[in-house]
Amino acid sequence: MSSKNVQALYAKSIQAAGSEDVLLSQMPVEDVMAIDPLLGLAVGRLRENKVIRKPGYDGEYGVIRVFEDNEVDRLRGQNELFARAPANSLARAFGKPTTMKTVRKKGVKAAELFKTPVKKKNDMPASVDLETLNTEQTEIAGTYDCPVAVTAGPGTGKTRTLALWLAGLVRSGKAKPDQILAVTFTNKAAEELASRLKILLGGGSAEITVQTFHSLAFQIITTWYPRVKSIYDASGRNSIIRYIFPENTQGAIRALADKIEAFLDGTLDPVEPEIEAAALKYQDMLESIHGIDVAALCSEANLIFESRREVLDYYRNKYKALAVDEFQDINKTQYEFLSLLADPSGRALPSILVIGDPDQAVYGFRGSDPGLFKKFVADYKAREKMLSSNYRSSGTICMASGDVIGHNQTSAGMNLTPVRQTGPLVSVFHAPDEYKEAEQIAKTIRALVGGTDLIESGGIYTGDGNGSSPYSFGDIAVLARTHRSAEHIIEGFVEHGIPVSVRQASSPFTQPPYSAIADIFRFLANRQDIVAYRNIVARLIPELEALQLDALFVALASSGGLVEHITQHRAVQETLSEGERGRVETLHRFLEFIEAEVETQGVYKGLFLILEKLHERIGADLEAKLLEEMLLETARAHGTNLQGFIRSLFLEQHETVGMPNAERVSVLTFHAAKGLEFPVVFIAAAEEGISPQARTDTDLEEERRLFYVAMTRAGERLFISHAASRDLYGRTEAASPSRFIDEIRTVLRTTFHMPKRRKKFNQPSLF
DNA sequence: CGTTGAATCTGGCGA
DNA sequence: AGATTCAACG
Ligand SMILES: Nc1ncnc2c1ncn2[C@@H]1O[C@H](COP(=O)(O)OP(=O)(O)OP(=O)(O)O)[C@@H](O)[C@H]1O
């Protein structure tokens, strides 16, 4: 079936159903069957969630594996099918039609994807116990009359205690929910805390402010200065800096951008006059387009507090209680923000609880200063507390991680007493290369969830001997130091049919080649944002040169964001040929079309059309497609709320959610894993040069803390793997095992080697 | 002027 | 490897 046919068919089906949503979610399956049996089958299976959404590593767009092997071929065009048909009005859109790169590889055996068992033990319902505290925890959770600073190791119930401290405020009537503020450093932590509070307090918890420093600051800024509309992250920052200082080389731009970032965040030390000057120029530009840089959010909020007494008083009166988790990650500016909200010398100090673990300080690169913990204790005359019982990890994992962190000179050396018993040894696995590493992890996961692969491959885990498979995909996480090494794992999982969930840091949609998406939404929401406009044109009509872009830029600036007459502007007439102006006008029509679609059909529709447009020019690799799916989901959730979507785009991490309830293995960076826990953890790419990194400015102790964070996420089983060689920029580099592995005493680990790489040879089954 | 091939570069974590 | 930028060529 050719894709044209599929498009036509799909269009026909939508027509019959009334809308694509109706088709996908409401129309009786039999009716869809009547239009086309194959489509009916697909829709039916989609609805039953019997679907593994397989990211298109083979060059297809968002392939959804709904069919068995023999069926797949019949649906060759399913990519377009699920990507929906293109809007006719755009068929001959601007730009020269470029052929989309299509790579087709043989797909995995679809049948494999279906034999994966679903859910096992972690069906812990609402009855999950969040209330029980030990004596030390209880004491902390009940202290409201004096600031408290808690230092405690991983798994000691810090977050649990903090949640109950917050809940206690409400239950005891000491504070109303809307008088309570809990600040976190990551969105994940905020979500986690909010969901715990919901369980503890029910609906009333919604009134409690649980936010990251950044999103809180953004909210404060936009409340009092509604003029600010566009958010610029590292990627947007780079493009503006490149525009302002065009004479700089790539490397110089990056160095400058890094320093400007630190300056904006108030953590540049010492402040270099040239950097300050450059940063101010940059901020002028942002100011003029009604934008703000993420790095400047906290500093700007502080400025508002300092310059507008009534604003500060408003927040001081509002919050009667304040809690900060992961306090070791705080930086100078955030500390100032905090002390502005809760004046340590003031008369009416709110209840304050801060909790942290110096051994888990891993944000040195963005200016966090663990010394601020001591400063807090001194400034607030806080009562210091400790927790020492680890409830999360087996005795083995506690000891092993203790061995590693013990190598840090600056380790607090806190004693950690495991509550849980000794467990299986830490499994260390040597693979010949990163592909084999991924494969082995995939096989081990299969074995853990009930497969038999590992018996065949003579591998690491052969079950608990009782034939039961105690784990589900959702119990398992693979952690990696860098996104790059995580990607290899994801690819391997896709190939081996392991359902995977990926959590990205800052939105990939603010970076090329997707930055056009971010810019389009920015521009639609903020017509003053001519930088966004320039980026859109540069990305979508790449043939235009800098001078021509400048002409458009100037023209738009002088027209106050009105796009219509730009091409008549003198500067544009002079620098662009008639054909080029025509293409720009087509682009304008496209933007207006998107705007209308967003208003009437929602952000989802707009985003979908943009992605489609983008794919006329660029192909999409594995990760891209996974991400597109995910972003479309996010967009759908925001309906027609453009502002909400933008905020989420720039300030939140994005996770592939895909099919609801689908059990997935989490693949995360060490940083992203902080605060989470999994019964089974794999640490991948434990190699010198990766973990620890080997750069001139690498802080070895921070690298070790990161590794420690990764290890301590595990409850029962910890696997550490490394590859002897790894492809890097086309070169194959030899790599030796991470020193952190050796730091674990030998009796706590077992080591496995993989046979040397055999080309294209499949191990025959032994049984 | 537009196309093509060669040279260059890729640097981490997150809001 | 793969994307992007640059130089030489038609
Ligand atoms: N008193 C307790 N009784 C039973 N379980 C507990 C208790 N305290 C904590 N736990 C459990 O221990 C685990 C770790 O708790 P929590 O996530 O609060 O630790 P944490 O100190 O914040 O860890 P980390 O710093 O590593 O993120 C959780 O599964 C929690 O439910």
Side-chain angles (χ1 to χ4, degrees), chain A residues 132 137 154-160 360 391-392 675 677 713:
Chain A
T132 315
Q137 292 170 333
T156 51
K158 294 190 295 294
T159 307
R160 165 186 285 237
Q360 292 188 64
Y391 289 87
R392 175 184 300 142
E677 62 187 3
R713 298 310 95 200

Side-chain angles (χ1 to χ4, degrees), chain A residues 153-155 158 326 357 360 392-393 397 401 477 479 668-670 672-681 683 706-718:
Chain A
K158 294 190 295 294
E326 312 273 20
D357 176 3
Q360 292 188 64
R392 175 184 300 142
S393 307
I397 293 168
S401 57
L479 312 183
L668 304 157
T669 61
F670 292 174
K674 191 131 86 72
L676 309 183
E677 62 187 3
F678 301 87
V680 181
V681 167
I683 297 178
L706 262 171
F707 201 83
Y708 177 67
V709 166
M711 291 179 78
T712 54
R713 298 310 95 200
E716 291 147 31
R717 305 200 61 102
L718 177 60

Side-chain angles (χ1 to χ4, degrees), chain A residues 124 128-135 137-138 152-164 192 196 325-326 328 355-357 360 387 389-393 419-420 673-677 709 712-713:
Chain A
M124 285 191 294
V128 58
D129 164 38
L130 291 178
E131 299 272 357
T132 315
L133 292 182
N134 65 30
T135 330
Q137 292 170 333
T138 308
T156 51
K158 294 190 295 294
T159 307
R160 165 186 285 237
T161 306
L162 188 121
L164 278 164
E192 172 73 22
R196 288 199 197 189
D325 203 358
E326 312 273 20
Q328 74 280 354
I355 300 194
D357 176 3
Q360 292 188 64
L387 297 172
S389 297
N390 179 306
Y391 289 87
R392 175 184 300 142
S393 307
V419 170
R420 301 183 68 165
K674 191 131 86 72
L676 309 183
E677 62 187 3
V709 166
T712 54
R713 298 310 95 200

Side-chain angles (χ1 to χ4, degrees), chain A residues 463-529:
Chain A
D464 289 339
N466 55 8
S468 77
S469 41
Y471 302 112
S472 65
F473 289 124
D475 292 331
I476 301 172
V478 182
L479 312 183
R481 173 65 179 84
T482 63
H483 284 121
R484 188 190 295 273
S485 46
E487 256 173 58
H488 284 292
I489 304 299
I490 294 165
E491 274 170 39
F493 282 9
V494 168
E495 253 174 73
H496 291 91
I498 303 281
V500 58
S501 145
V502 187
R503 179 172 270 263
Q504 282 289 308
S506 59
S507 170
F509 289 91
T510 66
Q511 291 152 40
Y514 288 106
S515 48
I517 295 173
D519 284 313
I520 288 172
F521 286 115
R522 263 192 198 124
F523 184 62
L524 294 185
N526 175 12
R527 290 300 182 127
Q528 305 310 310
D529 195 340

